[in-house]
Amino acid sequence: MLGAIRDITAAVPDDVYRTVRVKAAERSTSVSALVAGYLRSHADQDAELERLQALQAQAAREPGFMEENSPERATAALVQHLETIVAQASPNNRSCAIVNRSPMTQAREPRFPRAVVGVRLRCGNAELASVLHALESGAPRLFVENLNVLSQQSFADASAPGQGLGLDVSFDLVGYVRPTPAGNADAD
């Protein structure tokens, strides 16, 4: 419901008044209706700004993006996170071991910067399932891309840590870095 309607008086130069009258006629409305619409939209701006700020604060609390402010730092964090998860799935690398982890660079600057690590593991089935689940279900949101799983019959030294395990697995581990305005990344 509308509240009480108030009359206002505004003084404007003749050329502005003529321009507004023409615009009102083009839109089949009155000068008063145009001014009322402008004032209404201006009054709504504060509410919209507050709504935008609340949405930005909510987005900052969500675990979608990595905490690090650059792809390089995020890549280092991905490697540490991977090592922790593999160690939890297989203490002392008895049934799952990281064979290789290589940071990968982006060919072009994407809208949302990505941290990417190429990973190669040798694992048993249960350990692989545990590692993949832990990587993709935690916070921040991480993604396993280009997953390749090969069954291995045997390795040269089955007694060495990470050898003699059933699966040779490779994938790209991806995390997204919150975009920052150009030149505003921390330099520390």
Side-chain angles (χ1 to χ4, degrees):
M1 267 199 203
L2 292 176
I5 296 183
R6 306 282 182 199
D7 288 331
I8 62 169
T9 303
V12 295
D14 283 339
D15 62 326
V16 172
Y17 180 71
R18 279 191 297 275
T19 303
V20 171
R21 271 186 34 207
V22 169
K23 289 202 182 282
E26 289 172 350
R27 297 178 186 173
S28 300
T29 189
S30 66
V31 171
S32 293
L34 282 179
V35 171
Y38 170 76
L39 292 174
R40 198 174 304 108
S41 69
H42 186 67
D44 292 342
Q45 282 180 349
D46 289 340
E48 287 298 314
L49 181 60
E50 287 176 13
R51 185 172 158 266
L52 176 61
Q53 289 171 339
L55 287 172
Q56 288 173 332
Q58 177 185 358
R61 292 187 303 269
E62 290 180 0
F65 290 106
M66 298 185 71
E67 292 179 13
E68 292 72 20
N69 62 357
S70 72
E72 294 79 14
R73 290 180 181 174
T75 299
L78 277 179
V79 169
Q80 289 177 342
H81 188 62
L82 173 69
E83 290 172 348
T84 300
I85 286 177
V86 170
Q88 290 170 348
S90 175
N92 300 321
N93 294 332
R94 286 189 308 235
S95 54
C96 190
I98 299 171
V99 176
N100 190 14
R101 59 209 173 291
S102 304
M104 301 172 71
T105 58
Q106 300 291 314
R108 61 179 173 79
E109 190 62 33
R111 178 174 176 203
F112 295 102
R114 296 170 16 133
V116 183
V117 176
V119 179
R120 185 165 172 223
L121 303 174
R122 291 200 177 129
C123 285
N125 290 339
E127 294 77 17
L128 176 61
S130 174
V131 167
L132 293 176
H133 177 70
L135 288 172
E136 287 198 320
S137 65
R141 300 279 189 258
L142 300 179
F143 302 91
V144 172
E145 297 180 351
N146 304 321
L147 177 64
N148 293 298
V149 180
L150 299 171
S151 176
Q152 297 294 310
Q153 296 301 320
S154 64
F155 295 103
D157 184 6
S159 63
Q163 297 296 318
L165 305 175
L167 302 173
D168 186 5
V169 182
S170 63
F171 58 88
D172 296 337
L173 181 59
V174 179
Y176 286 88
V177 179
R178 187 177 309 281
T180 57
N184 286 352
D186 290 344
D188 53 26

